[in-house]
Amino acid sequence: MEIGLIDVDGHNYPNLPLMKLSAWHKKQGDNVTWYIPIAHGFPRPPMDKVYMSKVFSFTPDYLDFVNAKEIVKGGSGYCIKLIDGKEIYERDHDTQLPYEIEHTYPDYELYGITDTAYGFLTRGCPRGCDFCHVAAKEGKLRVDSVHFAWDRYEDKDQIIPKFKAFKEITGWGARKTSVYVLTNFDTTIEQDLERIYTLREMNYDPYVMVYDKEHTNGSDPVRLLQRWVNNRKIFKTIKRFEDYDPKRG
């Protein structure tokens, strides 16, 4: 069979399902290639099957004509719908990999990867926040972890005492206790800074996540905030965001 693959998100991040599909089909003796319209389109004979996969719901769908007898779409990006301003995971629209393909060693050569392997240590999340579909898609699995999230500013009265208690119990330093800080969702830059400064004072290592990257650019304050915090060397050297000069680092 002639098998085509389309990474709808692009090739910046390896798509694990496509890597597994590639490996499985190659084991069956099929010819697997990236689908390229100029090489595989009409009037050439149609490919037997083309797999299209995307992770992010905001990624535009593939618009070029796909010359194939069968087209299979899958991934979170196809089963998450925006309803009343919220991302809703629709399980009925999710295409699951068959067991034998899900448990196939991925084809890392597809992305030219020679020294790295990808996998899951845990699945799911215990929180179920409105802005995230992980809990709905993969379940609420409560596991011990040194990676936390402070996504809702209004949770500060409840979350700060818990962060302090965790430090008292474990005695772990900042390097072992990272905290994801969601920005650009429903907070101001002042509220983002308050969380960041509070975490550093408690000896946590904040990591800024930008919610709406699609409508921000490199000069947007929240993107500058992300650069300042997530560059550990700069964050440790320059104590206040107000003193950060992006032209210098």
Side-chain angles (χ1 to χ4, degrees):
M1 294 178 64
E2 290 292 325
I3 304 297
L5 305 176
I6 299 177
D7 185 342
V8 182
D9 294 308
H11 294 265
N12 293 326
Y13 302 99
N15 187 296
L16 196 56
L18 291 182
M19 293 161 66
K20 291 182 177 183
L21 285 164
S22 176
W24 187 85
H25 275 285
K26 286 180 178 179
K27 287 181 180 179
Q28 314 311 309
D30 299 329
N31 183 40
V32 182
T33 60
W34 289 114
Y35 180 83
I36 303 174
I38 195 171
H40 304 116
F42 184 82
R44 293 172 175 79
M47 304 191 83
D48 294 293
K49 182 179 290 189
V50 169
Y51 294 97
M52 299 172 59
S53 178
K54 69 172 181 174
V55 175
F56 304 108
S57 58
F58 55 77
T59 301
D61 204 357
Y62 190 81
L63 298 180
D64 289 327
F65 170 73
V66 179
N67 185 25
K69 298 177 183 177
E70 181 181 0
I71 299 173
V72 179
K73 295 184 178 182
S76 299
Y78 284 116
C79 60
I80 301 171
K81 307 297 181 184
L82 190 65
I83 301 176
D84 295 330
K86 295 183 179 181
E87 288 189 339
I88 304 298
Y89 170 71
E90 297 184 331
R91 185 173 298 277
D92 292 342
H93 293 276
D94 193 7
T95 302
Q96 301 290 329
L97 292 177
Y99 180 89
E100 63 274 15
I101 299 180
E102 176 64 44
H103 293 80
T104 295
Y105 187 80
D107 178 10
Y108 289 99
E109 292 184 0
L110 193 64
Y111 288 89
I113 298 172
T114 58
D115 59 354
T116 305
Y118 295 89
F120 289 96
L121 295 178
T122 63
R123 301 295 290 264
C125 176
R127 296 189 60 83
C129 299
D130 293 339
F131 53 79
C132 181
H133 64 270
V134 170
K137 183 177 187 295
E138 300 182 355
K140 293 185 177 182
L141 292 134
R142 183 172 295 278
V143 295
D144 294 331
S145 173
V146 294
H147 290 82
F148 302 99
W150 184 0
D151 295 318
R152 299 180 184 276
Y153 172 80
E154 61 268 25
D155 289 345
K156 64 179 183 178
D157 292 337
Q158 293 78 37
I159 204 170
I160 290 176
K162 294 180 180 179
F163 278 143
K164 290 181 178 179
F166 185 83
K167 285 291 184 178
E168 292 174 359
I169 293 171
T170 65
W172 291 351
R175 294 185 63 182
K176 294 183 65 176
T177 51
S178 297
V179 180
Y180 296 113
V181 179
L182 182 72
T183 63
N184 195 7
F185 178 67
D186 62 355
T187 56
T188 65
I189 195 74
E190 290 76 18
Q191 291 172 329
D192 298 336
L193 282 170
E194 181 181 340
R195 285 180 292 163
I196 290 166
Y197 290 147
T198 299
L199 288 169
R200 184 163 61 185
E201 290 171 1
M202 294 189 296
N203 199 26
Y204 281 89
D205 198 3
Y207 189 89
V208 169
M209 305 288 288
V210 178
Y211 175 72
D212 189 8
K213 292 182 180 180
E214 189 177 11
H215 296 100
T216 61
N217 54 48
S219 62
D220 190 285
V222 75
R223 298 299 289 272
L224 297 179
L225 180 69
Q226 184 184 44
R227 287 175 57 187
W228 171 62
V229 174
N230 295 357
N231 188 314
R232 298 308 182 210
K233 184 176 181 181
I234 294 176
F235 185 64
K236 290 179 180 179
T237 304
I238 303 174
K239 299 300 182 181
R240 306 289 294 180
F241 178 61
E242 295 84 348
D243 300 327
Y244 173 56
D245 182 359
K247 296 181 181 178
R248 299 180 60 183

